């Protein structure tokens, strides 16, 4: 998909994932569902949101392997963010699973919504640059 017709629903959905994972940890019985949802959220979503936030800064990418690189980088970022959050709570002596999940959900929400905003701003600026270029090329002076 080109950037102009890319759907905008993945970022708000990504913003909700942490809160849905937190809800599952409180509602579901300890077991497979609870562990699976929590682990999948913790190793994918925070990094994916932060990567999406930084993606407009990287510019266009035109080589194969972009999806694989993005998945690997999102996984590494998620692990790093999880470690930083956990370490901060451990060092302050206030670690609980709920606090760590709330912090990760907050980071994911802010980054995903920020990515939505920066993506729109980047598209608008590219569109304005194209308009100026077209207007400049048709100007006979």
């Amino acid at each position: 998909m080109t950037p102009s017709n890319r759907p905008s629903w993945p970022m708000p959905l990504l913003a909700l994932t942490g809160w849905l994972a937190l809800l599952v940890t409180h509602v579901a019985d300890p077991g497979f569902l609870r562990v699976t949802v929590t682990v999948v959220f913790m190793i994918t979503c925070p990094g994916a949101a932060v990567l999406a936030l930084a993606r407009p800064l990287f510019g266009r990418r035109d080589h194969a392997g972009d999806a694989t690189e993005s998945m690997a980088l999102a996984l590494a970022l998620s692990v790093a963010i999880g470690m930083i959050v956990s370490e901060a709570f451990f060092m302050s002596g206030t670690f609980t699973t709920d606090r760590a999940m709330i912090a990760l959900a907050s980071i994911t929400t802010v980054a995903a919504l920020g990515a939505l905003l920066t993506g729109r701003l980047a598209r608008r600026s590219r569109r304005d640059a194209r308009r100026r270029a077209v207007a400049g090329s048709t100007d006979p002076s």
Side-chain angles (χ1 to χ4, degrees):
M1 269 185 192
T2 62
S4 61
N5 65 0
R6 184 177 299 147
S8 61
W9 58 266
M11 285 301 119
L13 185 63
L14 184 60
L16 289 174
T17 57
W19 305 109
L20 294 174
L22 188 63
L23 178 68
V24 168
T25 62
H26 286 285
V27 173
D29 292 328
F32 180 76
L33 176 65
R34 185 174 177 176
V35 170
T36 303
V37 168
T38 303
V39 168
V40 168
F41 164 73
M42 292 177 113
I43 66 169
T44 58
C45 296
V50 170
L51 183 61
L53 180 62
R55 184 64 71 193
L57 300 175
F58 296 149
R60 294 187 59 96
R61 298 178 62 148
D62 59 354
H63 60 277
D66 189 31
T68 305
E69 289 173 4
S70 293
M71 288 187 325
L73 186 55
L75 179 102
L77 284 171
S78 291
V79 170
I81 293 166
M83 289 172 62
I84 290 169
V85 166
S86 298
E87 191 67 27
F89 283 121
F90 275 120
M91 295 297 280
S92 66
T94 59
F95 180 83
T96 64
T97 305
D98 283 343
R99 286 183 184 153
M101 285 291 291
I102 289 169
L104 289 171
S106 299
I107 290 168
T108 303
T109 299
V110 169
L113 295 179
L116 186 64
L117 177 65
T118 58
R120 286 184 180 167
L121 293 175
R123 283 191 298 276
R124 182 179 298 156
S125 106
R126 282 192 300 267
R127 186 176 59 236
D128 291 344
R130 279 194 302 265
R131 285 184 187 157
R132 284 191 301 271
V134 168
S137 67
T138 60
D139 189 17
S141 51

